[in-house]
Each structure stands twice: as C-alpha cells, then as structure tokens.
Amino acid sequence: MAICVVLTAGIMLLLAGCTFLSEEKVKLRDLDFTVLGEEMIPEELKAVLEERKSQPFQITYTDNQYLYICIGYGEQETGGYSIAVDALYLTETNICAGTSLLGPEPSEKSNKTPSYPYIVLKTEYMEQTVLFE
C-alpha cells in the first residue's frame, strides 16, 4: 500500500513538472527601451563588451537604476551589419529579448574589414531573469 502511494505521488509530481515546463510565455507588456550608442554605454560594461566582441554573446548588466541587455553576434567578415530588435517584453517571471542580425547591402560586402556587431538595450531595472530568444 505504501509503495502504491509513493508511486502515485511520484507520477503526480512528474505530471505537474511537465505542465510547468510546457507553460507558455504570456506577454504582460512590451518594455520601453533605448538602443545605446557607444558613447552612452557605462565604462565598466564597455570594457566587458570589448573583451567579448569577437565571439557571440548575450549578457546583462545593471547599475541598480537601469538594466542593460547586450547581444553580440561575434566577428563578421565585413562591415555594414545592423541589428533589429524583434521583441522586448515582460512575462510573469522573465524578460524576453529577441534580436536579428541583418546583413550588409551587396555594395558593402566589398569592404573586407571585419566587424563585431552588437547592440545594447537600456530599460527599466527589474530583477526578472532575461531570456534571449
């Protein structure tokens, strides 16, 4: 009898876990943000970005007043790339951030100087975990 109760409890926990894991991200609201130019990035964060720019990265930084969401695409063969912000929104438990790397115009591909495209989004400070999409 005790084994049956333990097995039933275990199955119920597994099923509850599956429901939890498959829970959809329900958007509560879009977040306002500013895309920062290099001159507006805090010095401490700028040093971290410089260190990491050659490889793709996704990092966050806070100064307890603002949250900075940083997404880099690593070294690219040429210049002329840009980054589009596809989403930045709040769910009950997370901040979801999504971007896309947009390629250079054909005329810009002749420039063979490598580039390191990244974007820094500044938004209100929140303690939720950032999920990169």
Side-chain angles (χ1 to χ4, degrees):
M1 179 76 170
I3 292 175
C4 190
V5 171
V6 171
L7 285 175
T8 303
I11 290 171
M12 290 175 71
L13 283 172
L14 282 173
L15 291 176
C18 290
T19 303
F20 175 73
L21 292 175
S22 66
E23 193 174 294
E24 276 190 49
K25 293 181 275 187
V26 177
K27 183 189 334 185
L28 298 178
R29 66 180 171 99
D30 287 321
L31 294 177
D32 292 330
F33 65 90
T34 303
V35 176
L36 296 185
E38 192 168 328
E39 68 283 353
M40 299 297 293
I41 300 170
E43 289 302 318
E44 187 176 313
L45 177 56
K46 200 182 293 187
V48 171
L49 297 175
E50 185 62 30
E51 263 180 37
R52 296 185 177 208
K53 73 179 184 180
S54 64
Q55 298 297 316
F57 64 83
Q58 300 170 329
I59 61 173
T60 60
Y61 172 83
T62 183
D63 58 11
N64 292 325
Q65 184 176 5
Y66 296 104
L67 173 65
Y68 300 87
I69 299 169
C70 312
I71 302 166
Y73 287 86
E75 183 175 332
Q76 304 297 316
E77 290 182 11
T78 66
Y81 286 87
S82 60
I83 300 171
V85 179
D86 302 324
L88 186 63
Y89 61 92
L90 181 65
T91 69
E92 216 171 285
T93 56
N94 299 301
I95 297 168
C96 298
T99 61
S100 299
L101 181 64
L102 305 174
E105 296 295 320
S107 62
E108 295 181 75
K109 287 186 178 180
S110 62
N111 174 6
K112 294 294 182 187
T113 304
S115 65
Y116 307 90
Y118 66 84
I119 192 167
V120 178
L121 308 176
K122 176 182 166 184
T123 190
E124 62 190 280
Y125 173 74
M126 289 183 266
E127 294 199 10
Q128 282 89 341
T129 301
V130 177
L131 292 180
F132 295 94
E133 300 177 331

